[in-house]
């Protein structure tokens, strides 16, 4: 747990946040500033600053998260029409919170490429 990290605080239940899903390794909660009708964040409980900071020992954690995302997507009702999974990384990627997270975005058609 990093003291200054808002997502560590959310994962540790130090900030009131409604979890859509929680297990030993990860939590899922609504984005405070939704970009689409459905917009949730998937985070590991472990503090990892971004995708580039993943270590070999995080392999099982990442596999677990990726294998759980389809269940979350189904729970959110996004399986039929689809969704977008995004990992913003560092400045050019638009990352604003330095704790690895996956955005699940859905509920409307999204254009490509991003602006
Ligand atoms: P990114 O730009 O990829 O780092 O996305 C960070 C997202 O986190 C952004 O869409 C807003 C969201 N966010 C920031 N602070 C909080 C918070 O305290 N609670 C919740 N639920 N979401 C937050």
């Amino acid at each position: 747990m990093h003291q200054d990290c808002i997502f560590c605080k959310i994962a540790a239940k130090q900030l009131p946040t409604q979890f859509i899903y929680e297990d030993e390794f990860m939590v899922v909660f609504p984005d405070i500033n939704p970009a689409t009708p459905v917009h949730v964040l998937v985070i590991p409980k472990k503090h990892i600053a971004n995708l580039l900071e993943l270590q070999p020992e995080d392999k099982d954690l990442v596999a677990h998260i990726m294998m759980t995302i389809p269940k979350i997507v189904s729970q959110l009702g996004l399986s039929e029409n689809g969704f977008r999974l995004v990992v913003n990384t560092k400045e050019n990627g638009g990352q604003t919170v330095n704790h690895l997270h996956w955005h699940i975005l859905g509920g409307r058609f999204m254009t490509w490429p991003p602006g």
Side-chain angles (χ1 to χ4, degrees):
M1 159 120 193
H2 279 212
Q3 296 303 327
D4 299 338
C5 175
I6 194 143
F7 284 0
C8 281
K9 286 183 183 156
I10 287 174
K13 303 189 175 94
Q14 292 176 3
L15 292 175
T17 305
Q18 170 218 343
F19 291 165
I20 282 160
Y21 175 87
E22 179 183 16
D23 65 27
E24 191 182 342
F25 305 105
M26 59 187 275
V27 296
V28 182
F29 54 90
D31 193 292
I32 204 168
N33 186 21
T36 47
V38 182
H39 185 177
V40 304
L41 301 171
V42 179
I43 70 167
K45 288 186 172 176
K46 176 183 176 184
H47 183 85
I48 300 167
N50 61 52
L51 200 70
L52 300 175
E53 299 296 325
L54 283 171
Q55 301 300 315
E57 64 264 26
D58 298 320
K59 190 171 71 168
D60 290 348
L61 172 64
V62 172
H64 172 72
I65 290 172
M66 294 309 289
M67 297 302 287
T68 304
I69 283 174
K71 296 176 197 164
I72 309 295
V73 162
S74 172
Q75 192 182 318
L76 292 169
L78 300 176
S79 300
E80 190 176 336
N81 290 330
F83 62 96
R84 188 168 290 173
L85 186 64
V86 173
V87 183
N88 295 326
T89 305
K90 299 183 85 174
E91 194 177 338
N92 274 2
Q95 184 176 9
T96 58
V97 178
N98 293 323
H99 180 126
L100 177 61
H101 53 280
W102 286 257
H103 295 255
I104 300 175
L105 299 144
R108 66 164 169 81
F109 177 79
M110 285 163 271
T111 56
W112 188 264

